[in-house]
Amino acid sequence: MALEQLDADIWLAEGPIVDFYGFAYPTRMVVVRLPDGGLWVWSPISLSDDLKAEIEALGTPRHLVSPNKIHHLFLSEWHEAWPEATLWGPASTIEKRKDLPFAAPLTDTPPDAWQGVFEQAWFHGSFFMDEVTFVHRPSGTLILADLSENFGDGFLQRHWKAWQRAGARVWGIVEGKGYAPLEWRLSWWKRGPAKAALTRILDAKPTRVIMAHGERIEDNADAFLRKAFGWLLKS
């Protein structure tokens, strides 16, 4: 089975490893079934025949979501499979993928079509990248893309070279820290909007944290987030 059920109406699937500027990165997506039965798909992974069959057993994808301008690689194949699904992303993704028919850019307010099951927060103010984050209220699941990278030692030993592993520890993108990549943290010239976004997700009191890259957090989510975003809270 490609899909792992996390809670009522929310699933996770692991995708193939991709090359990101010479670094091996795992891919991961989250699927939420909305109250009307339609599926909300965050950061779609490569669409295999087996995964497609499992998705269709759950329902029909109605919303395909890119959280930032890096997480767009497989949108085309999902949109080809379900052309009536609405594409969503921040303005930076929409600018990058002008070949796809996106809806209005995502910011801090969830679209009405998502039927009230999400809290949403837009981290912006960096000249490098922005990201829209989501808390699935019914399950208490916070969904992050690259704002926290929490690589376990086992993955790094298997897929990263020694100098890359050393860099990961210096950058703090390892289990026990879970920071955003160093170059992104350093690029935040205007931190007020990001602090407001962080307050929004902390106030939603998530109990679980799912990130695109690394070990997910199943308890003590608040403590994890305050450590992972310490660079922002202390600035």
Side-chain angles (χ1 to χ4, degrees):
M1 297 288 287
L3 291 170
E4 174 189 351
Q5 186 159 12
L6 300 176
D7 209 320
D9 294 325
I10 182 169
W11 294 262
L12 176 148
E14 306 287 354
I17 292 172
V18 299
D19 182 273
F20 185 69
Y21 295 102
F23 290 78
Y25 267 69
T27 56
R28 175 180 288 160
M29 77 174 188
V30 175
V31 178
V32 169
R33 185 159 50 204
L34 298 175
D36 69 358
L39 301 181
W40 179 95
V41 183
W42 172 91
S43 191
I45 61 175
S46 181
L47 185 61
S48 67
D49 290 341
D50 288 344
L51 178 57
K52 188 172 187 290
E54 289 188 47
I55 290 290
E56 290 177 333
L58 294 182
T60 301
R62 298 296 185 196
H63 307 277
L64 306 176
V65 182
S66 164
N68 65 41
K69 66 180 181 180
I70 294 177
H71 286 251
H72 66 89
L73 294 178
F74 304 107
L75 286 176
S76 295
E77 57 191 77
W78 282 71
H79 192 247
E80 182 177 348
W82 292 283
E84 294 185 0
T86 303
L87 290 160
W88 301 93
S92 54
T93 298
I94 296 171
E95 176 65 22
K96 187 169 188 175
R97 293 301 306 268
K98 293 179 180 178
D99 57 311
L100 293 174
F102 282 89
L106 295 174
T107 55
D108 284 314
T109 303
D112 290 341
W114 296 358
Q115 301 157 55
V117 301
F118 294 102
E119 182 63 71
Q120 184 169 308
W122 178 32
F123 284 77
H124 60 106
S126 158
F127 60 79
F128 176 62
M129 193 165 68
D130 62 341
E131 181 175 315
V132 182
T133 64
F134 309 93
V135 179
H136 180 240
R137 290 193 183 106
S139 67
T141 302
L142 170 62
I143 307 169
L144 304 174
D146 297 292
L147 279 163
S148 174
E149 295 184 351
N150 197 42
F151 288 111
D153 186 64
F155 176 86
L156 295 177
Q157 289 287 343
R158 290 191 301 274
H159 298 289
W160 286 30
K161 299 174 183 178
W163 69 268
Q164 293 175 318
R165 296 195 298 271
R169 290 190 289 271
V170 171
W171 299 330
I173 58 173
V174 293
E175 200 170 5
K177 291 186 177 179
Y179 294 169
L182 179 60
E183 69 273 17
W184 195 2
R185 302 198 309 267
L186 294 176
S187 75
W188 234 288
W189 65 276
K190 187 177 180 182
R191 297 196 170 189
K195 288 183 176 181
L198 180 59
T199 296
R200 185 187 292 262
I201 61 174
L202 289 172
D203 286 350
K205 300 188 183 306
T207 56
R208 174 191 291 118
V209 183
I210 302 294
M211 63 285 291
H213 314 296
E215 301 300 316
R216 65 202 201 212
I217 303 301
E218 292 290 348
D219 52 31
N220 297 320
D222 186 80
F224 170 80
L225 291 170
R226 291 182 185 279
K227 177 178 286 187
F229 286 92
W231 61 273
L232 184 58
L233 288 169
K234 295 173 185 176
S235 62

